[in-house]
Each structure stands twice: as structure tokens, then as C-alpha cells.
């Protein structure tokens, strides 16, 4: 008999955390953020290979990647040079509900997956602070989330993420491998077109007592 690997400790999956009204509100928030900071096509460090996921950010810092400068956080959009739009209060309140920590997130990465887009197995490790969790919100079509362990070769399992689900990676799971195998176009009618948004909230700089 093939047994499923246990769910990694510190990985929390809140199914249906956001109701439809909250999801509709978040889409309006994302639309406004994208109007100020357009989605761009990020590229892999060194090779310059484009990612299939389009990205933008809100918050004081945004996660970006390009051929020459690689993965990093910066306060401005890589193409427009403008500051990222501020962290919307409704996104901050989701962090407050799920992060279980007093400190505030600095970055909200907005990922847009068109049909066919995916995100390879990786670890969120470009932050300077790992005491804070990563909180991530799924909106739109379903997506297969692949999750492994601390080491790249560790066994993996997949979880179906649906619109309104919240994932938290904390403590032992803060640095586990994860990615999106694929999305399932047409599984949700929140958006007028097939696709999936994911919002990833992260603390980037060390937590200060005053935060
Ligand atoms: O789309 C997702 O659910 C995961 C996104 C992710 O892992 C990331 O942007 O680092
Ligand atoms: Mn990630």
C-alpha cells in the first residue's frame, strides 16, 4: 500500500477562509493595485528565462527577479520605477487573522497564473526574517499546490487550493519547498477570464520591537 506523506508540521491550510464577498472585494483591490503597478513578466536569474507567472506587488517592499540582478526585494516597480502601492488594509487584516504574530508584513506579492502557468518547486528564502510566517491567499481558478520538505529531494504531496483558501507556512514549515504544478482553468467564476491570483504576504526585514 502506498501511504501519503504526513502534512508537514507548520503548514496550515484554511479551506474557504474567505467568503465570496471578501473574494470579490479582494479582486477589486487587486485590480486597483495592478492599475498602479502593472503586472510584468519576471525572468530567472542568469538565464533570463521568463517565468510563466506574471507578477506585481504592494507594500513597502516587493519581490522581483530579473536576469542580471536575480531574486530580491526592492521598494519600486522594476519597469515603471514607481513605489509599490501601499498594503491594502483588507489584506493586512487577513495577515492579522492568520499570521498569529504582532508584526506587520512588508510585501504582498501578487502572482497571476494564466492557463498553462506554473511555479516550480522553491523555498521562500529571500527574506531576512524567518520568525514571521508566510501567509498566502488563493483567488480564482483552482490550483495544485505541491509541497515537499526542507530538502529539495524530500517526498512531496499536492493539495488543491481553491478560491478563498489561505495557506500559512510557519515555524518548521517556513522554509519548505513548494510550488504550483498547474491551475485548473474554468473551475471558478470569480474572475471574468480563466486564471488564478495568489497573494503572498511576507515580512522581509528583521522584526523590530516597535513593530
Ligand atoms: O501561488 C501560490 O499558491 C504560491 C506562490 C508562491 O509560492 C510564491 O510566490 O512564492
Ligand atoms: Mn513561495
Amino acid at each position: 500500500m502506498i501511504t501519503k506523506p504526513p502534512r508537514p508540521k507548520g503548514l496550515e491550510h484554511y479551506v474557504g477562509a474567505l467568503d465570496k464577498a471578501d473574494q470579490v472585494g479582494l479582486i477589486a483591490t487587486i485590480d486597483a493595485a495592478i492599475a498602479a503597478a502593472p503586472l510584468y513578466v519576471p525572468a530567472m536569474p542568469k538565464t533570463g528565462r521568463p517565468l510563466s507567472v506574471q507578477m506585481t506587488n504592494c507594500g513597502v517592499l516587493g519581490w522581483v527577479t530579473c536576469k542580471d540582478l536575480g531574486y530580491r526585494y526592492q521598494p519600486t516597480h522594476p519597469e515603471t520605477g514607481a513605489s509599490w502601492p501601499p498594503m491594502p488594509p483588507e489584506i493586512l487584516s487577513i495577515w492579522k487573522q492568520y499570521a498569529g504574530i504582532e508584526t506587520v508584513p512588508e510585501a504582498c506579492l501578487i502572482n497571476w497564473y494564466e492557463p498553462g502557468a506554473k511555479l516550480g518547486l522553491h523555498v521562500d528564502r529571500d527574506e531576512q526574517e524567518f520568525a514571521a510566517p508566510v501567509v498566502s491567499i488563493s483567488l480564482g481558478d483552482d490550483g495544485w499546490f505541491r509541497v515537499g520538505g526542507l530538502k529539495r529531494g524530500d517526498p512531496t504531496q499536492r493539495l488543491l487550493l481553491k478560491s478563498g483558501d489561505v495557506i500559512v507556512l510557519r515555524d518548521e514549515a517556513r522554509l519548505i519547498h513548494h510550488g504550483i504544478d498547474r491551475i485548473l482553468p474554468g473551475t471558478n467564476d470569480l474572475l471574468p477570464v480563466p486564471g488564478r491570483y495568489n497573494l503572498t504576504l511576507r515580512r522581509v526585514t528583521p522584526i523590530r520591537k516597535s513593530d
Side-chain angles (χ1 to χ4, degrees):
M1 196 177 85
I2 299 169
T3 52
K4 254 173 110 179
R7 176 84 55 89
K9 211 163 167 265
L11 164 67
E12 296 161 12
H13 182 189
Y14 298 94
V15 177
L18 306 174
D19 66 18
K20 189 75 184 255
D22 287 345
Q23 295 173 44
V24 169
L26 276 180
I27 294 300
T29 302
I30 292 171
D31 286 344
I34 289 174
L39 289 166
Y40 79 100
V41 177
M44 290 297 287
K46 296 191 180 102
T47 63
R49 219 177 138 226
L51 271 63
S52 55
V53 182
Q54 295 169 55
M55 296 183 174
T56 189
N57 289 269
C58 44
V60 289
L61 289 170
W63 187 88
V64 294
T65 173
C66 72
K67 182 176 191 287
D68 296 330
L69 300 175
Y71 301 154
R72 64 204 187 276
Y73 281 92
Q74 62 179 44
T76 53
H77 191 289
E79 290 182 354
T80 69
S83 299
W84 303 109
M87 183 77 70
E90 57 275 34
I91 293 181
L92 200 55
S93 90
I94 295 170
W95 167 275
K96 288 202 172 127
Q97 208 175 335
Y98 291 93
I101 185 167
E102 274 304 305
T103 198
V104 289
E106 293 163 305
C108 173
L109 172 64
I110 301 173
N111 287 341
W112 169 241
Y113 299 81
E114 278 177 354
K118 58 186 175 198
L119 190 64
L121 209 62
H122 65 277
V123 175
D124 289 11
R125 62 167 132 235
D126 299 315
E127 301 72 38
Q128 299 159 17
E129 181 59 81
F130 299 118
V134 170
V135 175
S136 116
I137 304 160
S138 294
L139 294 164
D141 283 328
D142 298 356
W144 280 115
F145 186 62
R146 177 138 317 258
V147 55
L150 294 173
K151 293 200 291 289
R152 174 157 281 276
D154 285 346
T156 65
Q157 58 189 292
R158 61 178 196 171
L159 306 177
L160 189 64
L161 299 187
K162 290 185 159 289
S163 196
D165 287 4
V166 169
I167 286 278
V168 179
L169 300 180
R170 71 166 92 248
D171 304 332
E172 302 94 314
R174 175 62 184 78
L175 291 167
I176 58 171
H177 287 76
H178 61 277
I180 292 289
D181 287 353
R182 64 191 175 96
I183 69 156
L184 304 176
T187 43
N188 188 281
D189 63 4
L190 181 68
L191 300 166
V193 292
R196 170 178 183 267
Y197 281 115
N198 172 261
L199 307 178
T200 298
L201 305 172
R202 303 191 192 106
R203 175 76 196 187
V204 180
T205 65
I207 296 170
R208 294 172 297 263
K209 275 221 178 81
S210 54
D211 291 336

